[in-house]
Amino acid sequence: MKILIVNAGSSSLKYQLVDMTNETLIAKGLVERINIEGSHLNQKTPDGKVTDIYQPIKDHVEATQLMLAALQDPEKGVIKSVDEIGAVGHRVLHGGEEFTASCIITEEVKACIRKFIPLGPLHNPANLMGIEACEAVMPTTPQVAVFDTAFHQTMPPKAFMYGVPYKYYKELGVRRYGFHGTSHRYVSKRVCEFLGVDPVGKKIIIAHLGNGSSLSAVVDGKCVDTSMGITPLEGVVMGTRSGSCDPAVVQFIANNANMDVNEVLDMMNKKSGLLGISELSSDMRDIDAAADSGNEKAALARDMLVYGIKKYIGSYAAAMGGVDIIAFTAGIGENGPELREAVMKDMEFLGAKIDPAKNNVKGKETIISTDDSKVTVCVIPTNEEIMIARDTRDLVANK
Ligand code: ADP
């Protein structure tokens, strides 16, 4: 079966077509600047065929039509007919407390995704547009929703509640939800397969470190805590997000810098973190290069990230009563040996010791701890798309 994976943003639509007989990529593409001047589709196939289409694209329905046209193009396309696509799997940001797993999309499911727009104001409307566009142009093809929040729904209340009056949880849904759930689920499962161990009985910490970063604590294959909160702002410092702060910072800046709460939050989401501290870049490669050549603010930004990750590892190890496996993933986690080494420095007290030679690796499944390390530390490249494709296949097969 061929599965189409769709990740719709407000002005973009990313897609991948995957052959599930051997889980291989057939084509991947991006439609960008939807309803903005300069709309563009770019599609690539593993054998090097590149499609570029520049034409006005007024909405997600047109973007989806163009995607299907590019996939079926007689010269550079990869399928002859839309009928070859067995199902579509959609990445959806927020499933609130309603969705603990992926599901086939129905009118009720769409109503729930709509209900959670206040919790995911940027993403959920875009995800819905992607779903409705695919329904419009592929009306008979089953559609599946895979939620970023679902994996974290196993957290106990003591981990997901905030210390504000209970009525805000009951009435408004104020609680920790967590994000990157599909990545945490993939990596926590994959690391056990890679090591040949049973997830049951294992205490695992996943460090997903990319533009957005989150850590999770996983016991017996189930999430028991995660660093992102009601929104993806909480946790360690990120590319442009501040990570956790005393909430009074918001009021203090608002009162003293002539901004309202929404402007402060926007600043904390888009202009803070590595970018805000370094005043240089949100990209870890730029931060590394600048820090290594003596830029003090870049070095501070890096130190803050390393220190924040260390604190989460320490607190999750304490919360779980130990840790057996630590797995690094996503852009920085997979490709930053120096950062991994800095994070794991002086962690022998926890039973974790890195082998610098083994750690000198990028983007490859590897054990990077020493043979005598009690905690096995690994690099596991994430693969959210394959998780979405597998969920979609399984749900459609069991329909
Ligand atoms: P997203 O959260 O957007 O999916 P990624 O997982 O792709 O992000 O991670 C992007 C981050 O990974 C950037 O900060 C980038 O600098 C970093 N990164 C990518 N490659 C490397 C590398 N070779 N060394 C260090 N950092 C890297």
Side-chain angles (χ1 to χ4, degrees), residues 37 174 176 201 213 220 235 259 309 346 353:
E37 175 128 14
V174 173
R176 173 185 313 287
S213 297
D220 297 336
M259 292 160 84
I309 301 166
D346 299 331
K353 204 167 151 200

Side-chain angles (χ1 to χ4, degrees), residues 252-259 263:
F252 193 85
I253 295 179
N255 287 347
N256 292 284
N258 194 26
M259 292 160 84
E263 288 168 337

Side-chain angles (χ1 to χ4, degrees), residues 236-298:
V236 294
V237 288
M238 311 181 205
T240 63
R241 297 191 192 115
S242 63
S244 300
C245 285
D246 180 340
V249 164
V250 177
Q251 183 199 38
F252 193 85
I253 295 179
N255 287 347
N256 292 284
N258 194 26
M259 292 160 84
D260 68 24
V261 172
N262 292 323
E263 288 168 337
V264 177
L265 261 292
D266 200 52
M267 174 273 288
M268 291 173 85
N269 269 301
K270 297 185 187 149
K271 296 186 182 146
S272 300
L274 299 178
L275 173 67
I277 297 294
S278 70
E279 298 181 323
L280 184 77
S281 172
S282 63
D283 192 295
M284 197 60 200
R285 285 164 289 200
D286 299 337
I287 298 292
D288 273 337
D292 292 345
S293 57
N295 182 313
E296 285 178 15
K297 283 185 287 189

